[in-house]
Amino acid sequence: MSLCLRSCVIVIALFYTLSASAADFFFKDGDVVVMIGDSITEQHLYSNFVEMWTVSRFPNWKLTFRNVGIGGDRSVGGNARFARDVLPHKPTAMTVDFGMNDGGYRAFGDDTFKPYMDGLQGMANQAQAAKIRTAWVTPQPLDNADPGSTALTGYNQTLERFSAGVQTIADKNAGLFVDQFHPYLAALDRARSQAAKYERITGGDAVHPGPPGQALMAASILKGLSFPALVSSAEIDAAGRKVVATKNCTVENVVAKEGGLSFSRLDRALPFFPADAVSILPWAGILEDLNDYRLKVTGLAAGKYEVRLGGKRIAELTAEQLAAGANLAAGALNDGPIADQAKAVRTAVENKNRFHHDQIFRGIVLSNVPEWVYIVVPRDELEARKKTIIEERLAKLPALDAEVAKSLAMKANTFEIVPVK
């Protein structure tokens, strides 16, 4: 498939609610996932969002995520440090995201492309030897403020050709190809087409997106990993006060209330979306694309109804809309117990990853020791001490992983569907 045709396919897919199941998803229960890349990975934004979406969708799975991104790195660097940074975690799955620095921020040339491909292939060889399932992720395009209807100019043309190289590596090594370049480009071009003067939509800077752009990155990656959109769904017959059907949840105690009804719903998954990324939603509907949190209620009298979750109003819908089925993800993530739990999950994930990055990876593994120090402390002695401290701090990570798991404990929530007066 040509890059042009693939771009069209991806643009269409961006609006399509995924029907993938847990069996299709790249990550599996029990996985230890390492995410390797450059400074965009080291930002701990898209990587955190991928982790938060995944653990929220599968709260009962045992999953471990570790980020080993390094600012300024290229694929040759990832290959050279693979044994040091990846293998100690004994991963079963990995995502690889290089390319932004590899092209040299200039026109495409074999002098930059060949080292890029060699570095990726070197990592592929090491991953295969260690039996690590690998998802090969393209770089995202630059979001610059240059005028025009498309962002596919200048260095982005180089990055598109590097993205084709990622697919070559994935195909050659029986890995999974994940295209985040074209979905990201489609969002940029959508925004460009609707404004006389384009203003950047992804936050941060052109190379290092802020939360809006990195949520788009995470969503594109998750879709490439066949992430299941379904959180849970429930169908209730209000007239008969009975549960008609459920998926990934349990509904009990359906009772009439104030001309409507109330019930208890125990979900087996959570929706997720980072609140600081909402500005991207006009250009990419990823909140609902990746969160199908559905409620269908038939048998209600005509009129408008307020949907309350844990006593908080999360939506106002007509009886006709409720009978057709509505996705409540946006409202549930705005206020109430699900919103509170999603925030708690994010806090636990960020605390864990901050400790690993600040206290272990960047704090010790990547620390630079001035040469004069070795005059005072022999190199072998200092390196041995560093290794001991790393091991001591790594031993603290399972407790932080446990805090993530604790934040994912699912509880039943009360829903109320009451007429708007």
Side-chain angles (χ1 to χ4, degrees), residues 42-295:
E42 192 179 2
Q43 283 181 272
H44 285 78
L45 283 174
Y46 86 79
S47 63
N48 279 1
F49 295 160
V50 166
E51 179 176 356
M52 293 166 193
W53 247 303
T54 300
V55 299
S56 297
R57 196 57 38 91
F58 300 102
N60 293 320
W61 281 12
K62 180 175 175 55
L63 292 164
T64 303
F65 284 81
R66 300 289 184 255
N67 178 317
V68 293
I70 295 180
D73 204 9
R74 297 176 294 134
S75 71
V76 291
N79 180 41
R81 63 187 176 88
F82 196 95
R84 183 195 70 186
D85 295 345
V86 175
L87 295 182
H89 297 292
K90 299 180 180 179
T92 55
M94 177 175 67
T95 65
V96 178
D97 185 356
F98 288 97
M100 184 59 72
N101 301 317
D102 299 73
Y105 298 93
R106 56 183 174 82
F108 179 86
D110 286 336
D111 61 327
T112 55
F113 186 64
K114 185 180 184 304
Y116 178 62
M117 295 294 284
D118 289 346
L120 293 181
Q121 185 58 52
M123 284 185 280
N125 295 339
Q126 295 185 76
Q128 288 176 352
K131 299 182 179 179
I132 305 169
R133 297 192 319 279
T134 305
W136 300 93
V137 183
T138 69
Q140 93 281 3
L142 292 179
D143 180 14
N144 56 49
D146 293 346
S149 60
T150 180
L152 191 56
T153 59
Y155 191 53
N156 283 342
Q157 295 175 334
T158 297
L159 291 174
E160 186 176 48
R161 295 185 68 174
F162 273 59
S163 296
V166 175
Q167 178 154 36
T168 298
I169 292 294
D171 292 346
K172 179 180 178 181
N173 296 283
L176 179 67
F177 172 66
V178 176
D179 182 2
Q180 68 168 328
F181 182 91
H182 290 101
Y184 199 105
L185 182 73
L188 300 183
D189 288 353
R190 197 170 298 117
R192 286 173 173 272
S193 70
Q194 298 184 28
K197 179 182 179 182
Y198 177 68
E199 295 183 0
R200 296 181 54 256
I201 63 172
T202 56
D205 60 43
V207 173
H208 306 90
Q214 300 236 4
L216 178 57
M217 292 173 64
S220 301
I221 292 168
L222 285 164
K223 289 183 179 186
L225 299 178
S226 297
F227 181 73
L230 179 68
V231 179
S232 68
S233 68
E235 181 179 349
I236 298 171
D237 173 11
R241 294 191 294 280
K242 64 181 181 180
V243 179
V244 177
T246 60
K247 290 182 180 179
N248 212 36
C249 67
T250 301
V251 174
E252 297 178 330
N253 304 320
V254 181
V255 298
K257 180 173 182 177
E258 302 175 17
L261 73 155
S262 71
F263 57 90
S264 174
R265 176 168 173 168
L266 175 60
D267 296 304
R268 289 191 282 275
L270 290 168
F272 173 78
F273 188 81
D276 46 352
V278 293
S279 65
I280 200 66
L281 295 180
W283 320 115
I286 55 181
L287 190 160
E288 293 195 345
D289 281 355
L290 291 182
N291 297 288
D292 188 2
Y293 187 56
R294 194 156 297 274
L295 176 64

Side-chain angles (χ1 to χ4, degrees), residues 283-397:
W283 320 115
I286 55 181
L287 190 160
E288 293 195 345
D289 281 355
L290 291 182
N291 297 288
D292 188 2
Y293 187 56
R294 194 156 297 274
L295 176 64
K296 180 177 181 178
V297 181
T298 60
L300 290 168
K304 290 185 177 181
Y305 290 81
E306 188 174 281
V307 181
R308 300 173 188 164
L309 172 55
K312 302 290 186 178
R313 177 186 179 277
I314 64 166
E316 184 175 297
L317 300 166
T318 65
E320 184 178 15
Q321 289 172 317
L322 283 164
N327 187 352
L328 301 178
L333 286 169
N334 185 58
D335 197 8
I338 287 178
D340 291 342
Q341 186 169 8
K343 292 174 185 175
V345 172
R346 180 170 183 173
T347 296
V349 168
E350 289 177 340
N351 287 344
K352 179 260 298 180
N353 289 338
R354 189 178 301 112
F355 177 84
H356 175 251
H357 178 266
D358 294 353
Q359 300 299 317
I360 302 172
F361 191 58
R362 177 60 70 175
I364 303 178
V365 176
L366 303 182
S367 61
N368 293 315
V369 179
E371 284 300 317
W372 68 264
V373 172
Y374 295 118
I375 299 173
V376 181
V377 182
R379 185 179 297 270
D380 290 347
E381 181 180 333
L382 185 58
E383 291 303 313
R385 181 57 181 153
K386 283 174 61 177
K387 182 178 179 181
T388 298
I389 295 173
I390 290 172
E391 291 173 351
E392 289 173 351
R393 293 185 180 180
L394 283 172
K396 296 178 180 179
L397 276 174

